Amino acid sequence: QVQLVESGGGLVQPGGSLRLSCAASGRIASINAMGWYRQAPGKQRELVAVVRSDGTTNYADSVKGRFTISRDNAKNTVYLQMNSLKPEDTAVFYCNADIIAYVGTMGIERNEHWGQGTQVTVAS
């Protein structure tokens, strides 16, 4: 029932910017950490950035100073502002969230959820 829907990917020139959005929907009680991962062809999926429920953040060294993760709790949405993009940033970006959801009539359940992925291509 819980879904994460990503948007904002596309083609951008080196040095350009993109903002990714990921909105969670469903019978959500609360969301703990939300993060962005990316996976380039033939490479392992890696954590790009994470924002916890208290607003604290962490970034991969490769994006530190260029990317900013944020969240809007009222909208159950996480964003990734990407500036000074480099060709090596090219990847499919995936949203991830640790979500507590209502199940049935009286229950709650904590699960990790993934978005479908959005392609980011940085090229001239």
Side-chain angles (χ1 to χ4, degrees), residues 14-120:
S17 298
L18 284 174
R19 190 180 77 150
L20 305 183
S21 299
C22 173
S25 62
R27 298 174 62 197
I28 296 170
S30 63
I31 302 177
N32 298 316
M34 304 184 80
W36 288 94
Y37 290 72
R38 67 184 180 188
Q39 188 168 25
K43 293 187 176 181
Q44 189 176 4
R45 187 173 299 187
E46 65 173 350
L47 177 65
V48 176
V50 61
V51 56
R52 287 169 282 275
S53 58
D54 63 2
T56 58
T57 60
N58 289 99
Y59 297 91
D61 287 341
S62 60
V63 308
K64 202 168 296 181
R66 300 187 297 123
F67 291 9
T68 303
I69 189 170
S70 60
R71 63 194 287 171
D72 184 337
N73 292 327
K75 296 181 179 179
N76 289 332
T77 299
V78 62
Y79 306 94
L80 186 67
Q81 178 66 47
M82 304 185 292
N83 300 324
S84 302
L85 282 162
K86 305 174 181 179
E88 49 263 46
D89 294 319
T90 296
V92 177
F93 282 69
Y94 296 91
C95 177
N96 175 270
D98 179 7
I99 296 175
I100 299 173
Y102 298 109
V103 295
T105 57
M106 296 186 295
I108 56 172
E109 191 172 273
R110 181 179 179 179
N111 289 107
E112 184 180 62
H113 297 269
W114 291 91
Q116 80 286 354
T118 184
Q119 177 71 49
V120 172

Side-chain angles (χ1 to χ4, degrees), residues 4-24:
L4 302 180
V5 179
E6 299 150 332
S7 62
L11 174 64
V12 65
Q13 293 188 141
S17 298
L18 284 174
R19 190 180 77 150
L20 305 183
S21 299
C22 173

